[in-house]
Amino acid sequence: MTQEPTFPENLTGIGATALGVALLRAQESDRPDRLFDDPYARHFLQAVDRASSPWTADPSPATARFLQAMAEQVAVRTRFFDHALLNAAAQGCDQVVLVACGMDARAFRLPWPPGTTVFELDFADVLAFKDAVLARHDATPACHRVEVATDLRQDWPRALAASGFDPVRPAAWLAEGILYALPPDAADLLLNRITAASAPGSALVLDHGEDSGLLRAARADISAELVGLWRGGPTENLDTWLARHGWQPTVTDIAEAAAACGRPAPPAFDPARADAGRGWLAMAHLRAPR
């Protein structure tokens, strides 16, 4: 008998947006012109009832307005990150680390090269909920999957190393939907720790976005807790910030990435809108020390 999914206490605030992302991935997967296919996203939503989360398969009008503002951003960044991580793995990064993975199903849905290990970092109850849902649907990972139950506010690099991560081998790191929710010092600490655990040749992919009147209003419609979700992240431009920590970055405006996919600019990051901010996707490689 499989374990009954238990809604995790840590899926509040920024953690709760993991279910919002799952909802957007499920909706994108239903499109005939989808940019990716995530058959697992809807399973997570079906395990949650409306009383415990606004992010369900049948969203309220307020939730739907927020999702509309973010849908294209999540679709485009998911495709970007899928390709970036697979390319890094194909080029020798056989360790992939999903930081604050939430409901990320990449370990199951992407065609990883043989020998790839995917480490998933998140709270223990988040991972337990995810496992119970996936087990109910007999999901099988397409790689060697290692769960690392940890708190990013604690010494998570130690927990990662104890789970078998080898810092002398190149790794591909994903920090998706995290930077904007961190104050500047916490963003610096996160990058410092990733850099310290990375061998030369490692890859790092991430996204970042500015807050805006449009986003604040959309979050306020859902809950007061989400109003303060944006904490600023790095105080420098992403390319400057990454380069200062030893990475060679390529930063793409999300509106340009959307156009390359044949999609309109995401409303929350549309340069033509006065109430929107800017958003970016970044791919970086760690330089060898001089």
Side-chain angles (χ1 to χ4, degrees):
M1 179 180 295
T2 59
Q3 177 185 353
E4 185 71 17
T6 301
F7 188 74
E9 294 180 1
N10 281 308
L11 277 182
T12 59
I14 180 61
T17 63
L19 287 171
V21 171
L23 177 50
L24 288 171
R25 287 182 175 149
Q27 292 177 345
E28 177 67 21
S29 298
D30 288 339
R31 292 179 56 149
D33 63 342
R34 57 184 175 266
L35 299 181
F36 59 87
D37 186 25
D38 186 345
Y40 304 98
R42 195 164 297 279
H43 297 329
F44 300 125
L45 304 172
Q46 292 168 343
V48 178
D49 61 40
R50 294 181 65 92
S52 58
S53 172
W55 317 106
T56 65
D58 181 24
S60 69
T63 299
R65 286 192 293 273
F66 177 83
L67 296 175
Q68 184 179 20
M70 295 296 292
E72 295 292 359
Q73 191 261 3
V74 169
V76 171
R77 85 180 189 198
T78 299
R79 180 186 178 94
F80 181 94
F81 292 153
D82 284 357
H83 288 190
L85 291 172
L86 287 176
N87 286 340
Q91 293 170 12
C93 293
D94 62 354
Q95 302 179 109
V96 178
V97 185
L98 310 180
V99 181
C101 64
M103 301 299 110
D104 191 319
R106 287 184 172 93
F108 296 82
R109 65 179 182 81
L110 293 185
W112 297 105
T116 303
T117 298
V118 174
F119 296 88
E120 298 188 359
L121 276 64
D122 216 315
F123 293 110
D125 55 352
V126 173
L127 295 174
F129 170 79
K130 183 175 176 178
D131 274 355
V133 172
L134 292 169
R136 174 182 282 185
H137 294 277
D138 298 321
T140 302
C143 59
H144 178 49
R145 175 177 176 247
V146 178
E147 298 166 281
V148 184
T150 189
D151 184 331
L152 291 186
R153 296 166 295 187
Q154 307 301 325
D155 189 3
W156 60 264
R158 182 186 297 272
L160 180 62
S163 298
F165 178 83
D166 185 355
V168 305
R169 295 187 0 244
W173 301 81
L174 174 63
E176 182 175 15
I178 299 173
L179 285 187
Y180 60 77
L182 299 175
D185 57 344
D188 285 342
L189 177 61
L190 177 66
L191 185 54
N192 284 336
R193 286 175 162 176
I194 289 174
T195 304
S198 297
S202 292
L204 170 60
V205 288
L206 51 81
D207 64 306
H208 190 36
E210 295 174 336
D211 202 2
S212 64
L214 186 157
L215 276 177
R216 283 191 295 273
R219 297 199 307 276
D221 282 346
I222 299 174
S223 75
E225 183 182 22
L226 290 181
V227 173
L229 184 62
W230 258 254
R231 307 285 300 279
T235 56
E236 305 166 274
N237 292 334
L238 277 185
D239 51 358
T240 303
W241 184 64
L242 289 165
R244 183 166 57 82
H245 287 79
W247 297 84
Q248 295 177 309
T250 300
V251 179
T252 304
D253 190 285
I254 186 68
E256 296 176 4
C261 293
R263 294 293 179 88
F269 306 106
D270 185 349
R273 296 187 58 145
D275 60 347
R278 292 188 63 194
W280 304 273
L281 303 172
M283 174 75 182
H285 293 88
L286 188 64
R287 298 189 296 259
R290 295 179 179 176

